Amino acid sequence: MKRYVLVIFLLLVLLNLTGCWGIKEIEDQTVLVGIGMDVANPSNEEKQLAENGNSYPKKNRVTLTFQIIPFEMRQSSGKSDKSSNELYSNIQETGDSMFQMLRKMATRRSKPMMGHHVKVIVISEELAKRIEIDKLLKFVLRDNDIRPSCLVFISNSKASEVLVSNNSGEVPSLELAGLAENGSKANNVLPPKSLTKLDGIINSGQSFILQNLSSSSDEVAVAGASVIKGKNRKWIGSLSIREVLALSWIRGSVKGGVIKTYDKQGNVLTYEIISAKSKVKAKTSGKDISFQVSIRSKGRLIENWDTKEPADKEEFIKEAEGYFKQELMNMMTDTLHTMQDVHQVDVGGFRNHLRIQHPKVWRKVEQDWDSVFSRSDVKFDVDLIIEDTGSSVK
């Protein structure tokens, strides 16, 4: 009897072992690290393949750029002394079904494509204007192969151009992922949005912003934000770097950084932020909804180009505080104008304050919130103090 019990126990242990049943040798895979989405424009390779019989029924609506790392090539070559072309390859496929296009790549590559390591998805501004963003991301949100931690960007140029690097030894997709994380430490750069966060935002129907990529012939930078309207899930405009900075103050997400302004003579004045707090109070009166944004900040006068003015003079400190306060007020007022009058959407998070502070009122207006917000009165109150002037009084 004891022998039977022992055998059953060993069988149960074997069944619970997480072995390598589904093992796939990485040397036998093609690693996908980035996806670019553009308005359809079939590449020369695609056209030649189609002319020679490699075609199927489809409508050309989107061109996908798959950035892959041929593992064998990376393994056999030293990263530091190899050109970018040896580190990655960009392959394009055009069609109207993301899944079908991905599967179509299997007919053009001898090794299976592995999506676990996709770091970024870049959507061109032009494509986001034409096709709803939830349709573009539907496949990757459902697919188990691509991780939900993958970051999503909008590019003001072609996504295929962003996924090209002139820097030797860099894989553009990996560089972009690092750029987004590093850039979020600055107040004028949005925190990156992953597929996980984006799925919830899209389903809520609210308008939102995504990190914007700006590219030159040699570099790509995170700059400003793209505005996606909740009702039609399409790109409707963008916010500048200054407007993204103002949103950080309104949302209370400022962790540091500076405010730069000029005095009456045009001299540079720079305020280093030591602490910043923001409080938004929603008020209702009948059908009228308004918001009071109160900001408190303490900081340091870190730069003053008027070298004749002693920085420890109380009168000068008060005057400098007024310059910084006015600059902050101007930034937030300009950004509010862009939200309410230009784009007519709430991307400042005001909806959450009304929902929490006045839930009954929120339920009445939530279906038409962007329109209601555009008519709402928003006032700003700034209390800014210069605590010290650094180690120099000049």
Side-chain angles (χ1 to χ4, degrees):
M1 184 64 183
K2 288 182 178 178
R3 183 177 298 172
Y4 289 124
V5 171
L6 182 61
V7 170
I8 292 171
F9 175 74
L10 289 173
L11 285 172
L12 288 173
V13 169
L14 286 172
L15 287 172
N16 283 288
L17 285 176
T18 55
C20 301
W21 293 354
I23 186 171
K24 293 179 181 177
E25 296 294 341
I26 196 167
E27 291 84 357
D28 298 329
Q29 306 286 315
T30 298
V31 182
L32 180 62
V33 291
I35 299 174
M37 299 183 180
D38 284 302
V39 175
N41 184 20
S43 63
N44 291 332
E45 288 78 10
E46 287 181 83
K47 291 175 183 175
Q48 291 174 18
L49 287 169
E51 288 171 2
N52 290 297
N54 189 17
S55 63
Y56 60 95
K58 62 178 181 177
K59 294 178 182 176
N60 286 343
R61 301 186 68 186
V62 179
T63 291
L64 294 185
T65 300
F66 298 100
Q67 184 153 91
I68 60 173
I69 299 176
F71 193 83
E72 279 186 349
M73 192 172 288
R74 286 209 68 192
Q75 199 177 40
S76 61
S77 61
K79 180 177 176 180
S80 59
D81 58 354
K82 296 294 178 183
S83 70
S84 300
N85 290 335
E86 290 178 304
L87 289 174
Y88 67 89
S89 297
N90 287 348
I91 311 156
Q92 292 187 323
E93 184 69 30
T94 303
D96 54 1
S97 162
M98 309 297 171
F99 184 66
Q100 195 173 36
M101 283 187 270
L102 188 62
R103 286 292 179 263
K104 182 71 167 45
M105 292 307 298
T107 68
R108 296 172 60 183
R109 283 291 173 275
S110 60
K111 294 179 180 177
M113 195 177 290
M114 182 168 59
H116 303 337
H117 298 282
V118 174
K119 300 297 183 189
V120 297
I121 294 175
V122 182
I123 304 171
S124 75
E125 184 181 295
E126 199 57 38
L127 182 65
K129 285 180 190 175
R130 302 186 188 191
I131 300 179
E132 296 89 333
I133 198 166
D134 54 333
K135 289 182 180 177
L136 295 171
L137 298 176
K138 188 68 75 180
F139 159 65
V140 290
L141 286 170
R142 288 182 176 174
D143 185 43
N144 293 327
D145 199 36
I146 296 174
R147 305 293 189 205
S149 58
C150 171
L151 303 178
V152 181
F153 301 92
I154 301 287
S155 66
N156 56 11
S157 59
K158 284 186 176 181
S160 60
E161 294 173 357
V162 171
L163 292 177
V164 176
S165 173
N166 290 330
N167 296 326
S168 179
E170 296 289 348
V171 178
S173 294
L174 305 184
E175 197 177 0
L176 284 178
L179 190 68
E181 294 292 343
N182 190 45
S184 63
K185 294 173 184 173
N187 292 328
N188 55 10
V189 176
L190 290 173
K193 278 200 173 59
S194 65
L195 281 173
T196 307
K197 291 180 182 174
L198 208 51
D199 192 21
I201 293 172
I202 291 173
N203 289 328
S204 71
Q206 64 179 292
S207 300
F208 60 95
I209 48 181
L210 284 172
Q211 278 188 341
N212 216 27
L213 295 176
S214 177
S215 61
S216 69
S217 56
D218 292 323
E219 278 191 33
V220 177
V222 180
S226 285
V227 181
I228 310 296
K229 192 174 179 67
K231 280 198 171 180
N232 61 16
R233 284 93 60 211
K234 288 184 179 178
W235 185 97
I236 59 166
S238 58
L239 299 180
S240 66
I241 293 174
R242 186 171 180 263
E243 289 169 332
V244 170
L245 174 58
L247 275 187
S248 298
W249 282 97
I250 293 171
R251 291 175 163 183
S253 57
V254 171
K255 303 297 182 189
V258 299
I259 300 174
K260 188 195 72 177
T261 188
Y262 304 92
D263 64 15
K264 290 176 184 174
Q265 289 74 40
N267 295 308
V268 171
L269 288 169
T270 308
Y271 172 83
E272 183 184 9
I273 301 159
I274 296 175
S275 68
K277 291 181 180 177
S278 172
K279 184 178 180 181
V280 180
K281 186 173 183 180
K283 300 176 182 177
T284 61
S285 177
K287 292 184 179 179
D288 295 330
I289 296 171
S290 61
F291 296 92
Q292 177 72 39
V293 182
S294 301
I295 289 173
R296 302 288 179 266
S297 176
K298 293 180 181 177
R300 181 179 295 119
L301 179 65
I302 198 69
E303 197 172 9
N304 169 27
W305 282 27
D306 185 356
T307 54
K308 295 178 182 175
E309 193 70 55
D312 58 346
K313 189 177 171 184
E314 188 175 347
E315 187 179 338
F316 171 73
I317 293 295
K318 288 293 178 188
E319 189 178 354
E321 286 175 348
Y323 286 126
F324 293 125
K325 179 180 174 180
Q326 190 58 51
E327 172 62 18
L328 187 51
M329 290 286 285
N330 290 344
M331 276 198 300
M332 293 190 293
T333 304
D334 293 344
T335 303
L336 184 67
H337 166 70
T338 303
M339 284 194 286
Q340 290 188 315
D341 303 323
V342 179
H343 301 318
Q344 299 183 342
V345 293
D346 170 23
V347 290
F350 290 94
R351 57 184 285 136
N352 290 328
H353 296 289
L354 182 66
R355 178 176 58 80
I356 294 168
Q357 296 172 29
H358 300 278
K360 289 183 180 177
V361 176
W362 167 249
R363 284 193 286 273
K364 292 178 183 175
V365 300
E366 63 177 318
Q367 296 302 323
D368 194 29
W369 173 241
D370 279 335
S371 175
V372 173
F373 169 72
S374 299
R375 301 190 301 269
S376 301
D377 186 31
V378 180
K379 294 189 183 304
F380 298 108
D381 170 40
V382 176
D383 182 12
L384 184 149
I385 298 172
I386 296 174
E387 279 193 329
D388 66 73
T389 57
S391 56
S392 173
V393 295
K394 284 290 185 179

